[in-house]
Structure formats: C-alpha cells, structure tokens
Amino acid sequence: MKTILLIAHLIAIATGTGMSIANYINIRIAAGEKGERREALAFLRRVLARIADVVILAIWITGIGLWLNLPPAEEPNVWFLVKLAFVVLLTLCHGLARMTAGRMMRTGDQSLFARMELFVSGVWMSALFAIILAVLAFET
C-alpha cells in the first residue's frame, strides 16, 4: 500500500510541477500580449488553476496517507519534515497566486503580473524540492 501511495504522491507532485511551469510560461507570454490573445491566456490560467486545486488536494491526501502508513514506533524523519515545509510553501504560493489572479480579474490591474509570476515560481520550485524530499522521506 505504501508503494502505491508513494507512486500516486510523486505523480501528483510531478503533475503540479508541470502545470505550474506551464502557468509560469503562460504568465511570461501574456505579459506582452493585448486583446483577445491576453484574454485567451487568462482563460487558460484559470483552467489550470482549477485543475491545480485538485492536484494540490491529491498531494495532501496521498502525503497524509503516507504519513499514516508509517510504522507506529517510527516517527517522521527530518526529510519528511522538510518536505512538509515545502508542501506548505507550495500550497501557500498557490493560494496567493490564485488570490492575485482574482484581484487582477476584478480590478484589471495588469501591474500584478510580476507578483503572480513570483508566486507561481514559488509553486514550481517548492514542488521540485518536494519531489526530491518525498523520495528521501519515503524510502521503501
């Protein structure tokens, strides 16, 4: 069971990483666009963000499942605790990126692109570190 959970967990984190990198590229492209192209890219970001909500939920559920499958006498190792910090950072950056995107949509303030780019970068960097640390934390 632990191996299946680990596979699902790593797939979820890898999916989140790929999506956040795609979102980062989208933001970089959209910064120079106007009109319908910019709107289409904004629509794509919204779709990716909705899917990312589910992916982050999968990361948390599979991670909690892995933690619950630790032997009763075994406490989480340091790799697990550091990984948990990166997953919290990933979740925080995702939430802040979503809030910034929502604010951009409501106000039309395009100057928030740089802030959103920073938060999306935080998501994919955190996810990359979380993948590495998950492998170290859950050695089979």
Side-chain angles (χ1 to χ4, degrees):
M1 181 63 158
K2 183 179 172 183
T3 303
I4 293 170
L5 275 172
L6 180 58
I7 291 168
H9 189 62
L10 292 174
I11 289 171
I13 296 173
T15 301
T17 305
M19 288 177 56
S20 58
I21 291 171
N23 205 14
Y24 177 80
I25 292 168
N26 177 308
I27 291 166
R28 297 292 297 173
I29 293 170
E33 296 295 334
K34 293 187 182 354
E36 287 183 19
R37 288 180 60 128
R38 188 177 211 145
E39 292 303 315
L41 290 167
F43 175 76
L44 176 59
R45 283 194 307 277
R46 286 192 299 275
V47 170
L48 284 173
R50 287 186 197 117
I51 296 168
D53 291 341
V54 175
V55 169
I56 289 176
L57 181 64
I59 290 169
W60 276 101
I61 289 172
T62 56
I64 290 169
L66 284 167
W67 180 59
L68 293 174
N69 273 316
L70 289 175
E74 188 179 330
E75 291 191 24
N77 59 33
V78 70
W79 296 117
F80 175 82
L81 298 174
V82 174
K83 178 200 161 299
L84 182 59
F86 276 104
V87 173
V88 168
L89 180 63
L90 178 155
T91 305
L92 179 68
C93 287
H94 172 72
L96 291 170
R98 293 275 282 159
M99 287 174 25
T100 303
R103 188 169 161 201
M104 283 175 60
M105 203 165 109
R106 281 189 311 278
T107 65
D109 184 1
Q110 301 304 315
S111 68
L112 294 172
F113 263 106
R115 183 178 297 169
M116 193 166 58
E117 183 180 339
L118 175 69
F119 293 140
V120 171
S121 296
V123 171
W124 68 265
M125 290 300 293
S126 297
L128 285 174
F129 283 111
I131 290 171
I132 294 165
L133 293 165
V135 171
L136 296 171
F138 300 113
E139 293 179 16
T140 54

